[in-house]
Amino acid sequence: MKHVARLVLMSTLALTMSPVARGQCSYTVKTWAPMPCSMGLDKYYGGTGLNSIGAWCGYRGKCHGVTGEVPVYCPPGGSPQDLPLPPGAGPKGANTVAVNDSGVVVGFSYQGTSGSQLVGCVWMPDGTVTTISPAPGGTSSKTNAVNNQGAVVGSSAGKPYVWLNGEMTLLPIPAGVLTGGYATDISDSGFVVGEFGHHSNGTLRGFRWRDGEFEVLEPAESYTVSRARGVNDAGVAVGASNAYENGVYVGSVATVWTKESIIALPSLPGHPYSYAMSINSSGVIVGGASLNGYADTNVAVVWVNGEVYKLAELMVQGTPTIGTLPKAINAAGEILILGAIKIVTPISSVSADLTGDCAVDGKDIAKVLAEWGVTPWTVADVDQDGVVGGRDLALVLGEWTGPK
């Protein structure tokens, strides 16, 4: 069963493969200096969102011993800029969650003295701020993602929503399930993913929605609940399938949902617990793995063409350590790391790594031979002349590395 699922996964990702995903095997790290405050009490930035052209959004703590958060946006290649607090923000301030390629930032403000009401807001490039009113019966409208059309997703009144041009659409939750639904991501093509239900009674499920079609994402075989965290333009969703026994968390596996299949991703050796957070248009997936399901054993991982790699082992020697876990991956293959702002950037792509396993070896030769002839739209056509032939074979041999 798992062998069949693996073949399906690699076939599916191959359909969306591009030169970005081939040879995404070496990374460096971009970092930003902290916000200077008086008396040396500088405030570090935290990254929460990354767009496809290198802009990011996040937050920093307030200076001078004042508690609360300041929302931040950083343009491509620029310096972090404070965003204005939305109307009604309480002393805890505001935070951001995502930014699109037009520089539209979404997030939420902490309303009230306690900051327990999270009201969604949208910062436009012209400096204006729009708040997202909670759904009827709700007090919060927390945001989680935005796409390049400006559609925002989140949760309000215990249901997932899509907000666009001032109008909120609540997504349906299957009858008989308690409230607790929320949307976690939206693609430019309009696919929305999220979760509903609860761990406690085994009803927690991921979902995928587009244009009124609501689809429940069932967990992988032998697991009891599912969680969906990311989706790409092809509608491929990623997240995790978790297992519980008598209410105790006993397992987790990173999971991919295509239109046809539920696929358990391979685990990092020695780290049996895993989960996926984000997938880009090339099918590269980022997430985490752990020894026992606890945060103190978490490590960052990346799946390329169905193969799992420990991200720290792909870093160029001498680059800063990446620290915590990935939050998102963009179309360029850049990876946003949670915590102090760090963007992991792929370098040295190797066009002859046809299988995306970070090596040019016999498997790449086998792919060229298997697709020999007039075979357009394949990574085996290394020179991109529409024919898989001798020149492609020579290019693979010229970049030979052997198995890694």
Side-chain angles (χ1 to χ4, degrees), residues 203-387:
T203 62
L204 184 67
R205 292 290 185 275
F207 72 81
R208 178 169 48 204
W209 177 93
R210 186 170 74 161
D211 296 335
E213 181 181 349
F214 188 95
E215 179 185 2
V216 177
L217 302 176
E218 295 294 344
E221 186 177 1
S222 77
Y223 291 84
T224 55
V225 303
S226 60
R227 314 195 70 169
R229 293 304 177 94
V231 65
N232 66 12
D233 284 343
V236 179
V238 297
S241 299
N242 296 346
Y244 288 81
E245 292 181 1
N246 299 320
V248 178
Y249 177 46
V250 296
S252 176
V253 64
T255 306
V256 174
W257 291 271
T258 71
K259 274 296 184 181
E260 299 81 18
S261 306
I262 304 170
I263 303 157
L265 288 170
S267 298
L268 189 71
H271 294 73
Y273 290 73
S274 64
Y275 54 91
M277 290 294 293
S278 180
I279 179 172
N280 70 5
S281 56
S282 298
V284 181
I285 300 167
V286 295
S290 70
L291 297 172
N292 51 21
Y294 293 101
D296 59 351
T297 63
N298 277 339
V299 295
V301 296
V302 56
W303 288 269
V304 182
N305 281 7
E307 299 288 343
V308 62
Y309 303 93
K310 189 174 181 178
L311 191 55
E313 295 179 351
L314 303 179
M315 305 304 298
V316 172
Q317 188 172 4
T319 58
T321 58
I322 58 175
T324 56
L325 297 175
K327 170 69 163 54
I329 183 169
N330 67 12
E334 297 173 314
I335 301 169
L336 176 68
I337 302 297
L338 287 170
I341 180 65
K342 295 179 180 180
I343 297 177
V344 177
T345 304
I347 59 174
S348 302
S349 293
V350 179
S351 62
D353 177 17
L354 308 183
T355 60
D357 62 356
C358 302
V360 180
D361 56 16
K363 288 184 285 186
D364 302 292
I365 294 293
K367 188 166 184 65
V368 171
L369 296 177
E371 301 189 17
W372 196 270
V374 181
T375 312
W377 308 111
T378 171
V379 293
D381 181 15
V382 183
D383 63 2
Q384 300 182 11
D385 66 351
V387 177

Side-chain angles (χ1 to χ4, degrees), residues 13-375:
L13 297 186
L15 293 176
T16 58
M17 193 55 57
S18 74
V20 171
R22 295 189 305 194
Q24 184 158 327
C25 306
S26 184
Y27 294 87
T28 187
V29 179
K30 298 178 183 178
T31 62
W32 278 260
M35 166 74 180
C37 293
S38 61
M39 302 176 64
L41 301 175
D42 299 345
K43 297 295 183 179
Y44 284 88
Y45 295 104
T48 56
L50 176 69
N51 70 13
S52 294
I53 56 176
W56 58 268
C57 65
Y59 63 94
R60 66 168 177 86
K62 296 179 180 178
C63 289
H64 312 303
V66 180
T67 59
E69 295 175 347
V70 177
V72 171
Y73 166 74
C74 183
S79 300
Q81 307 167 359
D82 291 349
L83 294 172
L85 288 178
K92 292 185 69 174
N95 205 329
T96 68
V97 296
V99 56
N100 70 12
D101 292 350
S102 299
V104 176
V105 178
V106 300
F108 55 88
S109 63
Y110 299 96
Q111 302 258 337
T113 303
S114 67
S116 59
Q117 298 177 5
L118 308 181
V119 174
C121 48
V122 181
W123 288 270
M124 300 301 293
D126 64 5
T128 59
V129 186
T130 299
T131 57
I132 299 176
S133 299
T139 58
S140 295
S141 54
K142 185 178 183 298
T143 57
N144 284 320
V146 62
N147 68 7
N148 282 329
Q149 285 68 50
V152 180
V153 297
S155 61
S156 187
K159 292 184 178 180
Y161 72 76
V162 178
W163 181 94
L164 180 63
N165 297 328
E167 296 186 9
M168 177 184 288
T169 300
L170 295 178
L171 306 187
I173 293 177
V177 176
L178 298 175
T179 58
Y182 49 93
T184 55
D185 196 17
I186 181 170
S187 70
D188 289 339
S189 58
F191 284 103
V192 178
V193 295
E195 304 166 10
F196 66 91
H198 296 271
H199 285 289
S200 58
N201 60 7
T203 62
L204 184 67
R205 292 290 185 275
F207 72 81
R208 178 169 48 204
W209 177 93
R210 186 170 74 161
D211 296 335
E213 181 181 349
F214 188 95
E215 179 185 2
V216 177
L217 302 176
E218 295 294 344
E221 186 177 1
S222 77
Y223 291 84
T224 55
V225 303
S226 60
R227 314 195 70 169
R229 293 304 177 94
V231 65
N232 66 12
D233 284 343
V236 179
V238 297
S241 299
N242 296 346
Y244 288 81
E245 292 181 1
N246 299 320
V248 178
Y249 177 46
V250 296
S252 176
V253 64
T255 306
V256 174
W257 291 271
T258 71
K259 274 296 184 181
E260 299 81 18
S261 306
I262 304 170
I263 303 157
L265 288 170
S267 298
L268 189 71
H271 294 73
Y273 290 73
S274 64
Y275 54 91
M277 290 294 293
S278 180
I279 179 172
N280 70 5
S281 56
S282 298
V284 181
I285 300 167
V286 295
S290 70
L291 297 172
N292 51 21
Y294 293 101
D296 59 351
T297 63
N298 277 339
V299 295
V301 296
V302 56
W303 288 269
V304 182
N305 281 7
E307 299 288 343
V308 62
Y309 303 93
K310 189 174 181 178
L311 191 55
E313 295 179 351
L314 303 179
M315 305 304 298
V316 172
Q317 188 172 4
T319 58
T321 58
I322 58 175
T324 56
L325 297 175
K327 170 69 163 54
I329 183 169
N330 67 12
E334 297 173 314
I335 301 169
L336 176 68
I337 302 297
L338 287 170
I341 180 65
K342 295 179 180 180
I343 297 177
V344 177
T345 304
I347 59 174
S348 302
S349 293
V350 179
S351 62
D353 177 17
L354 308 183
T355 60
D357 62 356
C358 302
V360 180
D361 56 16
K363 288 184 285 186
D364 302 292
I365 294 293
K367 188 166 184 65
V368 171
L369 296 177
E371 301 189 17
W372 196 270
V374 181
T375 312

